[in-house]
Amino acid sequence: MGNSMTCFAPKERREKESKWSLNRLSFIGSSVQKNDTTPRPSSSSTADAVKKEVIDDDLLRQQAVAAVLLLKQHQQQNGSSVPQFDRSSSVHYPLSSSKKQNKLPRSSSTRPSSALDLSHTLLTKNQDLTTEEVLETKHFVLVHGGGFGAWCWYKSMALLREAGFDVDAVDLTGSGIDSTDSNSITSFAQYVKPLVDFIENLSEGQKVILVGHDFGGACVSNVMEMFPSKVSKAIYIAAAMLTSGKSTLSTYQEQPSSDVMQQAQKFIYANGKDHPPTSISLDKTLLTDLLYNESPAKDAILASMSMRPMPFAPIMHKLTLSEANYGSIQRFYIKTDEDFAVPVTLQEFMINSNPPEKVFQIKGSDHSPFLSKPQALHRILVEIAKLPSRANVS
């Protein structure tokens, strides 16, 4: 859920709700063209040269939708709002670059597979890693935003794996298939623990490229401060890139939120309205307009069904960031110019307040470029991975 930190409820509505609803959030931009400028092969010979194993996107979506529907049916039958998943399976989703594991699970259906291209995801040859390339790391760790889960990265994970990278996506506490109730999360440390544990358990000398979307940016910054020797680069995608001493809440309140955000956000008061909100949810009827306004309809529907409430306490946490740790790591920012959740004005405010090494922009992208512009996002991720590290430049 992104730029959710600035909107305020009308006076009469505030009186009916709670003193805590005075600071309505706009947690979770706009402009320019909506045409993807992704290069296409110009001849059949070129197409043959760059042809990859095509992922059956339609079947993948059908499997995911079926899983969500079965989960919801199970919840209704058992009177439970949160599934009790095995914790061991809810931390991260590794995708090996091994040739033996290059194929995604297929449905048992006898329907012929369709040659879909994952929203124009056929790669050009220069996007793949070559055997001669020596990078500081080929390992990406993807961190979702508030309310999202590791599920949102499925296109990026497939593309990066096809290009020769190792990829992991982490479910933060109370997100994705993690079984924790969002309303029970009372601290930032509790929320970010799966990511901290993952980075802490990396082998000695191993480095990763951290990618944070939305509120995941604050989580990435926290890990950079804790484990600077394990992070090669950090990439923020329409994300909370905070300055030291600031919280996501206070930073997002610096800029106005969009009208659709103000209409979509809902507070949950699990401890009563005399206490702070315990989580924030979004009106599902407005999710497409807010988060997926440029995404394929199938992705928007599936994503809307998969969203979880965002715990409130973590967004109030003030980060402490030092030049010696956080400041020693290269940072890159990716702007999304059709974003109604974290508007361009807010993205630029954070960029100007805490300048990264380089800024990229995905034209025509909504708040979820991993769904709306997966190949454009992929090209930027690969480009950043191939940039010389600060140590090599020195």
Side-chain angles (χ1 to χ4, degrees):
M1 149 159 162
N3 164 17
S4 134
M5 314 290 174
T6 57
C7 69
F8 297 88
K11 180 177 180 183
E12 65 274 16
R13 189 175 176 186
R14 293 202 302 268
E15 292 172 351
K16 290 180 181 178
E17 292 182 350
S18 157
K19 62 181 181 179
W20 291 102
S21 63
L22 289 173
N23 290 322
R24 299 289 284 178
L25 306 184
S26 54
F27 192 88
I28 293 271
S30 59
S31 80
V32 206
Q33 309 166 2
K34 299 183 180 179
N35 295 325
D36 192 349
T37 57
T38 303
R40 298 287 196 277
S42 58
S43 68
S44 59
S45 60
T46 303
D48 290 339
V50 302
K51 186 174 181 181
K52 299 286 183 181
E53 176 185 90
V54 180
I55 297 170
D56 189 343
D57 191 33
D58 216 12
L59 287 177
L60 186 60
R61 287 195 184 98
Q62 288 180 20
Q63 291 174 11
V65 170
V68 172
L69 292 175
L70 287 172
L71 175 58
K72 288 184 177 293
Q73 182 181 16
H74 173 77
Q75 292 172 354
Q76 292 171 356
Q77 292 173 347
N78 293 277
S80 172
S81 60
V82 180
Q84 296 302 313
F85 290 100
D86 182 348
R87 173 74 182 194
S88 65
S89 66
S90 65
V91 176
H92 68 280
Y93 302 93
L95 276 178
S96 169
S97 58
S98 167
K99 292 293 183 183
K100 293 182 180 180
Q101 300 180 17
N102 266 353
K103 294 190 176 182
L104 294 176
R106 296 284 181 166
S107 167
S108 59
S109 168
T110 57
R111 184 176 68 85
S113 62
S114 55
L116 299 182
D117 66 351
L118 263 177
S119 297
H120 35 266
T121 56
L122 288 178
L123 304 180
T124 55
K125 193 167 186 177
N126 61 8
Q127 289 174 288
D128 291 344
L129 290 177
T130 66
T131 54
E132 293 79 19
E133 285 181 300
V134 179
L135 308 184
E136 184 175 32
T137 180
K138 297 177 182 178
H139 190 175
F140 280 91
V141 176
L142 311 179
V143 186
H144 63 81
F148 292 82
W151 53 264
C152 72
W153 297 107
Y154 82 96
K155 292 183 180 181
S156 294
M157 294 177 78
L159 288 168
L160 287 168
R161 182 191 65 178
E162 281 293 311
F165 291 90
D166 297 317
V167 194
D168 285 285
V170 179
D171 266 331
L172 300 174
T173 307
S175 306
I177 63 169
D178 180 90
S179 61
T180 308
D181 183 352
S182 301
N183 294 295
S184 70
I185 299 171
T186 58
S187 70
F188 179 81
Q190 181 185 3
Y191 179 70
V192 79
K193 188 176 187 301
L195 176 61
V196 171
D197 289 347
F198 182 87
I199 300 300
E200 188 173 29
N201 290 327
L202 291 173
S203 59
E204 187 173 353
Q206 186 177 0
K207 287 192 172 188
V208 298
I209 299 172
L210 285 176
V211 181
H213 171 245
D214 188 80
F215 184 57
C219 303
V220 163
S221 296
N222 179 72
V223 167
M224 293 163 66
E225 180 65 27
M226 294 179 68
F227 306 105
S229 65
K230 295 187 175 185
V231 182
S232 171
K233 299 180 178 81
I235 304 172
Y236 296 77
I237 305 173
M241 188 170 67
L242 312 179
T243 57
S244 184
K246 291 282 190 176
S247 68
T248 304
L249 175 63
S250 62
T251 299
Y252 281 13
Q253 285 179 330
E254 296 282 347
Q255 297 292 319
S257 61
S258 65
D259 291 340
V260 66
M261 171 56 73
Q262 296 184 41
Q263 297 170 29
Q265 61 194 5
K266 297 180 179 180
F267 287 99
I268 299 174
Y269 297 87
N271 298 325
K273 291 195 174 181
D274 290 335
H275 298 276
T278 49
S279 66
I280 313 160
S281 65
L282 294 173
D283 185 338
K284 290 190 180 296
T285 64
L286 297 174
L287 281 179
T288 297
D289 292 338
L290 179 65
L291 304 177
Y292 313 115
N293 45 294
E294 299 294 334
S295 298
K298 291 180 181 179
D299 284 326
I301 292 171
L302 178 58
S304 297
M305 296 172 69
S306 305
M307 294 290 290
R308 298 272 300 274
M310 168 67 193
F312 184 79
I315 65 175
M316 296 190 295
H317 177 76
K318 296 179 180 179
L319 290 182
T320 300
L321 306 171
S322 68
E323 280 299 314
N325 294 339
Y326 167 83
S328 67
I329 300 167
Q330 292 174 299
R331 289 178 291 113
F332 303 86
Y333 202 96
I334 302 176
K335 293 166 55 179
T336 47
D337 69 356
E338 292 291 340
D339 194 327
F340 296 114
V342 178
V344 171
T345 52
L346 176 57
Q347 296 178 44
E348 291 176 344
F349 171 79
M350 292 186 287
I351 290 168
N352 294 332
S353 300
N354 189 16
E357 189 125 332
K358 189 173 181 179
V359 177
F360 298 83
Q361 176 171 298
I362 302 178
K363 292 183 178 180
S365 174
D366 54 24
H367 188 57
S368 308
F370 34 76
L371 299 180
S372 62
K373 297 291 181 182
Q375 188 172 352
L377 174 61
H378 174 75
R379 286 200 309 273
I380 295 173
L381 295 180
V382 172
E383 179 180 344
I384 292 173
K386 292 183 176 182
L387 290 175
S389 67
R390 189 170 289 172
N392 292 339
V393 171
S394 300

